[in-house]
Amino acid sequence: MFHTPIVPFARKRSRPVEAAVPRHDVVKFKDVRLYLVERKMGCSRRNFLTQLARSKGFIVDDNLSDEVTHVVSEDSRASSLWKWLKECAPKNLPGVNVLDISWFTDSMREGRPVAVETKHLIQIPLPTEGSPLTPVATVSRYACQRRTTLENHNKKFTDAFEVLAESYEFNNMERPCLAFRRATSVLKSLPCAVRCLGATQDLPCLGQHTKKVIEEVLQCGRSFEVEELLSDERYQTFKLFTSVFGVGPKTAEKWFCRGLRSFSDILTDHSIHLNRMQQSGFLHHGDISRAVSAAEARSLRSVIDGAVHCVTPAATVALTGGFHRGKEFGHDVDFIVTTPELGEEESLLPNVIDELKKQGILLYCNYQASTFDMRKLPNHHFEAMDNFAKCFLILRLESSQVEGGLHCAEGDIRGWRAVRVDLVSPPVDRYAFALLGWTGSRQFERDLRRFAQVERGMILDNHALYDKKKKEFLAASTEKDIFAHLGLEYMEPWQRNA
Ligand code: UTP
Ligand code: MN
């Protein structure tokens, strides 16, 4: 139930603590076995804390054995503690939490072992080449327990991984695709660059294949497998076709198999029927395939704010997606709109769409009415698409409305560009779940759901959080409420760039 990063060290010579004290405390938490490090703490404080914990139903071992699950130390200087642990613990002990005293005091206050959060962990610094310490995994296997900012120190590896992940996706190979996405996400979360293969030794989610790529990039500055892919006709064609709004890997595959290789191949083939979304995708391809800047996103926010408040003054608009995570560029701009009155959100999007049409800036609209039904929850097979009312739009954005002008091709004198915008409108009591789900990143969301399921026995999606043991839905009006229900340390949107 608790997240247990894998940390090595182990068995220790014993130093019994107050063996004379009679033990008649009732054990309440059988799965948790503490060991308090005497160093820095001192013998008498250790005795006091030991008895305090035992009186609250905790098991506290006098000796460091491989049954210990939580090592607590008052000395939170990672390097000296780890040096000491290494000395007195020659064997590896997987599945032990090495924690500072704050975890202990939190647990005593709550009267139960609180969930281990990253702030409690005494993490060993990432080893550098020639480091005397063995590299150690203190990085969580779950993206939702790693703070991932936009500062990526391992871009040369993650760029390579992303090409491989994409290529597996194009070939419908879900597992290796996900493996490379997970590995990408782990490397993005690291506080510094990986400089030797040894530094990855105990990182989670890195398999043989990913390590081979890392090794190549370290040695040669590039991966041959990736270079080959980048010049591969299938990869290039899929990349081109899927860059069109409305074209996914399945359509790209169909076209590729028919021998089509370029846009003109498609547009001149009269046996091909393009749906409305794809037609708009081709029509506005130049604009839409160009990244949207943060300044453009801000300007669109005023446009959407204006349209929403014009039709429903009490409605709220929130920026979500990549720009809410602080990205400088994105492929679209995502907003959540809702009304304080439950049920009023139903007419919101159709009215907003009408308003945008009236303003003459609606270039494309795909509106999907809500199919949300609380009675159909919990949904065991959630994958990204939710049932809220939403619309996928292409809007015309005027250069004059954007601070510093448009992010446009050089020589473009139109004075406007087309931009992809998504609006979603959940009922207000589902707002926090929708916001959490749409803020992303995709990998962060995947791991939140996986963490909820595997570690907490709960089902999370964009609609709700369901506790399988209690057989009940857990209410939340903010994202913080949801993190708290999951026993997770809160992460700000800008820390969710997994
Ligand atoms: P995006 O695809 O817009 O990604 O989905 P992004 O993170 O904003 O990055 P850009 O746009 O490429 O810069 C935003 C989030 O919304 C969720 C996705 O899972 C992602 O986390 N989403 C999207 C849903 O939950 N449901 C949907 O129907 C679509
Ligand atoms: Mn987006």
Side-chain angles (χ1 to χ4, degrees), residues 214-337:
I214 292 176
E215 195 171 20
E216 266 186 356
V217 173
L218 282 169
Q219 282 171 2
C220 318
R222 61 210 168 112
S223 148
F224 299 104
E225 194 182 353
V226 170
E227 300 252 301
E228 233 167 77
L229 272 177
L230 288 172
S231 56
D232 174 67
E233 192 181 32
R234 183 183 163 93
Y235 175 83
Q236 285 180 347
T237 312
F238 270 66
K239 192 82 184 144
L240 178 71
F241 290 173
T242 56
S243 74
V244 179
F245 176 47
V247 180
K250 285 218 174 72
T251 308
E253 167 100 60
K254 205 168 69 191
W255 292 346
F256 182 80
C257 289
R258 286 167 71 164
L260 307 171
R261 295 292 180 270
S262 66
F263 286 172
S264 67
D265 284 353
I266 292 161
L267 298 171
T268 54
D269 186 327
H270 295 295
S271 68
I272 283 186
H273 171 76
L274 297 177
N275 64 30
R276 224 170 49 83
M277 193 183 254
Q278 292 161 349
Q279 285 172 27
S280 297
F282 275 109
L283 189 60
H284 300 291
H285 184 264
D287 278 347
I288 296 177
S289 59
R290 181 177 301 278
V292 183
S293 71
E296 289 170 336
R298 278 195 298 277
S299 161
L300 279 161
R301 202 218 149 102
S302 332
V303 169
I304 298 300
D305 261 339
V308 167
H309 292 138
C310 175
V311 300
T312 312
T316 57
V317 177
L319 178 69
T320 179
F323 286 109
H324 188 40
R325 302 196 308 273
K327 274 173 67 168
E328 273 304 311
F329 291 97
H331 98 282
D332 66 356
V333 193
D334 309 286
F335 297 97
I336 301 190
V337 295

Side-chain angles (χ1 to χ4, degrees), residues 371-380 387 430 463-464 466 473:
T371 55
F372 174 66
D373 182 350
M374 203 62 199
R375 291 166 306 183
K376 288 189 193 141
L377 296 180
N379 176 359
H380 293 258
N387 301 320
R430 305 290 110 207
H463 314 103
Y466 180 75
F473 288 99

Side-chain angles (χ1 to χ4, degrees), residues 320-323 325 327 329-334 382 384-386 390 392 422 437-442 445 449 462:
T320 179
F323 286 109
R325 302 196 308 273
K327 274 173 67 168
F329 291 97
H331 98 282
D332 66 356
V333 193
D334 309 286
F382 183 84
M385 270 302 199
D386 57 55
K390 59 174 79 68
F392 307 111
D422 288 346
W438 277 76
T439 297
S441 68
R442 256 163 228 278
E445 301 303 324
R449 296 194 288 267
N462 285 15

